[in-house]
Amino acid sequence: MRPHSFFNRVGRTIGLPLLAIALLTAGCKSTGNSSGGTMSPVASPPTREMQAAMTPDSALAELKAGNARFVAGQPVRRDAPADVKASASGQYPFAVVLSCLDSRQPIEIVLDQGIGDIFSARVAGNVLNDDILGSMEFACKVSGAKLIAVIGHSNCGAIKGAVDDVQLGNLTSLLTKIKPAVDAVPADVSPRTSKNYAFVDQAAEANVRLVMQQIRERSPILREMLDQHQIGLAGGMYDLSTGQVRFLEK
Ligand SMILES: [Zn+2]
């Protein structure tokens, strides 16, 4: 079998309906040895049919399952040279993920996604700007992605910078975008300093929610797709100490 990574090992986690879609849409390739031993599936980039079979819910389920595989130290097997070849003529990613620049949360790795699986936008503090918003519109409206995910993380230096009111070149205006989230943390959380990790992490989560709200408010194209349930919007927080993404309740 050569199912896509959505469905590889994930079938156990996210249920048979999705696995059934996989069997209908995925090609097969034996990767086992000739003696008939257990064959371990190898993931491959999504095809147009695989992407079309995804829904906003199944896309989110795959991000959750991928992170669970990462945390368990059981990423799917991949064949990078084969994936490069298979994806060269087109891409059909199932999600677009906005996450922080931080080197400790390389998003494809921590979500166990491979070549062609997700669009990835990374910027310090996972803030939104017009170019990233335009990229999300491309990902969803033009390229068929089913989910927008905004993933912040614990102990984020950009959030700390906003808390500390750091002034540094072009970073200053970036941090300004985060300040409303810092202010949104309830007044009883104190001390309100970058040394208070609980405060910093609450501000980071507020920032994720703020960016999700901005995506909806600032893009009529994405808002319409969300209202028509053509795409989903999810937020999450990555824990640097455990490798786990906690997806936010709506
Ligand atoms: Zn960060």
Side-chain angles (χ1 to χ4, degrees):
M1 286 294 298
R2 186 178 163 78
H4 180 253
S5 59
F6 309 165
F7 314 114
N8 183 6
R9 301 189 189 183
V10 184
R12 288 195 300 268
T13 310
I14 55 181
L16 281 176
L18 202 53
L19 189 59
I21 292 170
L23 295 174
L24 287 171
T25 57
C28 289
K29 173 186 170 189
S30 171
T31 56
N33 58 42
S34 57
S35 63
T38 302
M39 289 188 292
S40 177
V42 178
S44 59
T47 62
R48 185 191 300 273
E49 292 74 24
M50 289 176 187
Q51 185 197 51
M54 296 292 281
T55 66
D57 285 347
S58 66
L60 179 58
E62 167 51 23
L63 294 188
K64 291 178 178 176
N67 181 243
R69 294 193 298 268
F70 169 72
V71 171
Q74 296 183 326
V76 295
R77 292 177 56 209
R78 301 181 196 281
D79 181 343
D83 291 350
V84 169
K85 270 188 192 168
S87 61
S89 61
Q91 61 171 342
Y92 307 97
F94 69 91
V96 51
V97 181
L98 171 59
S99 61
C100 185
L101 185 73
D102 197 294
S103 67
R104 297 164 293 179
Q105 57 135 49
I107 206 67
E108 279 99 336
I109 293 176
V110 307
L111 296 173
D112 190 28
Q113 302 302 320
I115 290 171
D117 285 333
I118 62 173
F119 289 106
S120 178
R122 293 180 64 181
V123 59
N126 39 274
V127 296
L128 195 66
N129 62 33
D130 289 348
D131 298 326
I132 288 175
L133 200 54
S135 300
M136 289 175 171
E137 291 170 347
F138 168 77
C140 296
K141 192 71 176 179
V142 180
S143 285
K146 301 297 174 66
L147 177 73
I148 301 170
V150 181
I151 300 183
H153 68 96
S154 62
N155 202 14
C156 179
I159 303 293
K160 289 179 179 176
V163 169
D164 289 341
D165 198 21
V166 166
Q167 308 277 319
L168 177 69
N170 291 284
L171 185 59
T172 303
S173 64
L174 188 157
L175 298 181
T176 301
K177 296 175 191 288
I178 299 174
K179 286 182 181 172
V182 175
D183 294 339
V185 177
D188 60 348
V189 181
S190 67
R192 299 173 80 81
T193 71
S194 60
K195 299 276 193 298
N196 182 353
Y197 289 179
F199 175 66
V200 170
D201 289 354
Q202 284 198 43
E205 182 171 329
N207 184 51
V208 168
R209 293 187 189 278
L210 174 67
V211 170
M212 292 170 69
Q213 182 186 338
Q214 290 170 339
I215 290 168
R216 175 174 267 286
E217 289 176 354
R218 290 170 52 182
S219 171
I221 290 173
L222 296 175
R223 185 168 62 245
E224 182 182 33
M225 293 186 82
L226 285 163
D227 289 343
Q228 296 181 353
H229 306 291
Q230 295 169 350
I231 59 171
L233 178 60
M237 283 289 293
Y238 178 77
D239 188 324
L240 289 181
S241 64
T242 66
Q244 282 184 316
V245 176
R246 174 174 56 85
F247 284 90
L248 308 182
E249 299 298 321
K250 289 189 176 168

